[in-house]
Each structure stands twice: as structure tokens, then as C-alpha cells.
Amino acid sequence: MKVAIMQPYFLPYVGYFQLINAVDKFVIYDNIEFTKKGWINRNRFLVNGGDEFFTLPLKKDSDYLQVKERLLADSFESDRAKILRKIKEAYRKAPFADKTYPILEDIFNYQSKNLFDYILNSVRIVCNQFGIQTEIVISSSIDINHQLRSESKVIEICKKIGASAYINPIGGVELYSSSKFALDGIELSFLKASPFEYSQFQNAFVPWLSILDVMMFVSVDEIVDRLINNYTLVSN
């Protein structure tokens, strides 16, 4: 059984969904400390040929709270409308805007102030659009010592849910050792997305934007056929 483990990211780039589709179980961390200026509550979209951030505003709170303990700001009712209007204006001439915008409305209008629940719902909606049926497991539901860190925690999660293979994004190739995973009978590999481009209003291509950008310019069928499985698995 193949397993991947990731932080929750809001409307992440296509590689996140490649990883989900590549495994049998996808563990998503809810009981990790929220990190500022990361990708948990923000991503990038295309505005006038360049990239710009959109961000889920959060209620002011302790910097040491876990993701599942963070809440969206009280102003989010109006903030989400502003974000949606900006996305609609930026992509109004995109070929698949009419099909993608209602999906984004469903995602942004989800009625939960809990950051983790809000992101988890968005991940599930996008997976459903692409026909990805991988089981999503919430990390805090797994009976392990959650004080473990880094490689030790990943291995313990894999052992607990019966993984025979663990797949990590290629960016973590220096963080994990194949020999350590092998001691517990787990094969380690890394997902490397293949280069790809698509037309963005005839401008110079801006790579690795939010999945919403891909969905605006590429049909769902083509995303599934051309992008979701467009990767290689490598070992270290």
C-alpha cells in the first residue's frame, strides 16, 4: 500500500494532486504548528500576466497553535467575496472560467471558520473534480506518539497504517533515508513532476500557480490525462 503525508494547503499547485492520486492513502496533517508565510492559507494566481498571492485571512491568535486550532478571521465573510471578485476579473476571458468559477464559489463559500476543515473541504472538492478516489486520512486520528518529529514521525505513521511504500515530493529528497525506511519494510520514493506548460492568455508562462489557474486554462479531461499522471518516481 502506497502512502503520502502532507501539510494542508489551500488550492495548491497541481503537484499536490499528482501526489494524492499516486497513493492509496493520503495523510493530511491537522495537528502540526501553523507556519506563517507558508502555503497553508495562501497561494498564487495569475493577474495581468504575473503572479499574485491570494490569502485566507486568519483570526489573530497564538503563533504556537496547531493548524486545526486556527480560525478564519471574522472579516472573512466580506474578504472571500473580494477574493472571488478578483479571481473572476483576472480570469473572465479564460477558456474554462465558466466551468471553474462555480467550483471556486463552492470552495470559498464553505461555511466553516475552522482553517483545517475549510482547507480539507477544498482538497476534497478538487479531488472529486479530477476523479481522484484516494482515501484521505487526518493525522490526529492515527494512534501514534505525535510528539515524534520529521522522519521518525513519518515512518511511525506509515507503520501504523500498514504502508509498504512511502512517496514524498522531490523537494524532500535530502530529508529522508531509504535505508531507514527499509528497516521497517517500507520502500521510499520521490515524486518529480515532469515539466509542462499551457497557454495563459498568450503571455509568457508562469509556472506552479494554484490549481485554480490550471483549471481556468485546461479542461478537466486534459488535466487528468496530461497532468495528473505526468511525473516520475525516483529514489535516493
Side-chain angles (χ1 to χ4, degrees):
M1 182 178 67
K2 295 176 287 187
V3 169
I5 306 170
M6 287 291 289
Q7 294 187 17
Y9 295 139
F10 185 60
L11 294 174
Y13 81 116
V14 68
Y16 195 90
F17 298 97
Q18 289 177 331
L19 186 63
I20 298 176
N21 192 55
V23 297
D24 302 299
K25 289 188 178 182
F26 183 79
V27 178
I28 187 167
Y29 281 125
D30 66 327
N31 56 347
I32 56 168
E33 189 175 300
F34 175 81
T35 53
K36 291 182 177 180
K37 297 183 179 180
W39 298 99
I40 292 176
N41 66 320
R42 66 175 188 164
N43 216 287
R44 301 180 304 138
F45 71 129
L46 190 71
V47 180
N48 297 324
D51 64 310
E52 188 172 309
F53 281 101
F54 60 90
T55 303
L56 299 177
L58 301 181
K59 185 175 182 179
K60 290 184 179 180
D61 218 323
S62 168
D63 290 340
Y64 300 101
L65 290 181
Q66 296 180 342
V67 175
K68 67 178 181 178
E69 298 171 313
R70 296 304 303 260
L71 299 176
L72 297 171
D74 292 337
S75 64
F76 188 55
E77 287 299 322
S78 60
D79 290 335
R80 70 172 130 209
K82 293 177 183 177
I83 297 170
L84 278 169
R85 282 199 299 271
K86 192 160 190 176
I87 292 172
K88 188 172 187 178
E89 176 60 25
Y91 291 100
R92 59 190 176 87
K93 294 184 179 179
F96 297 98
D98 289 347
K99 292 184 178 180
T100 301
Y101 191 75
I103 299 168
L104 295 178
E105 286 185 311
D106 287 344
I107 288 171
F108 275 91
N109 290 326
Y110 183 61
Q111 293 301 304
S112 175
K113 286 295 186 72
N114 181 276
L115 175 63
F116 177 77
D117 289 345
Y118 193 85
I119 293 174
L120 179 61
N121 178 69
S122 69
V123 171
R124 285 176 167 157
I125 286 177
V126 176
C127 283
N128 184 61
Q129 291 299 312
F130 299 156
I132 298 174
Q133 299 181 348
T134 300
E135 179 183 354
I136 296 177
V137 181
I138 299 171
S139 63
S140 63
S141 71
I142 303 171
D143 185 18
I144 64 164
N145 176 7
H146 287 280
Q147 300 304 311
L148 294 170
R149 291 288 182 267
S150 304
E151 187 175 57
S152 297
K153 187 171 187 176
V154 169
I155 291 174
E156 195 63 24
I157 289 173
C158 286
K159 288 165 58 179
K160 191 68 180 183
I161 63 178
S164 57
Y166 175 69
I167 302 176
N168 198 79
I170 192 67
V173 71
E174 302 296 332
L175 301 177
Y176 302 120
S177 165
S178 295
S179 60
K180 289 185 179 179
F181 278 79
L183 290 174
D184 289 294
I186 302 167
E187 180 184 359
L188 173 65
S189 58
F190 299 88
L191 187 148
K192 182 179 181 181
S194 302
F196 64 88
E197 292 189 10
Y198 48 90
S199 176
Q200 295 170 323
F201 298 132
Q202 308 304 315
N203 296 314
F205 182 66
V206 182
W208 310 122
L209 298 181
S210 164
I211 191 65
L212 77 84
D213 185 80
V214 182
M215 294 172 70
M216 289 289 187
F217 292 109
V218 185
S219 72
V220 169
D221 287 345
E222 189 175 358
I223 291 171
V224 173
D225 292 341
R226 178 184 165 203
L227 301 183
I228 292 298
N229 294 306
N230 190 21
Y231 64 83
T232 55
L233 295 179
V234 299
S235 58
N236 63 356

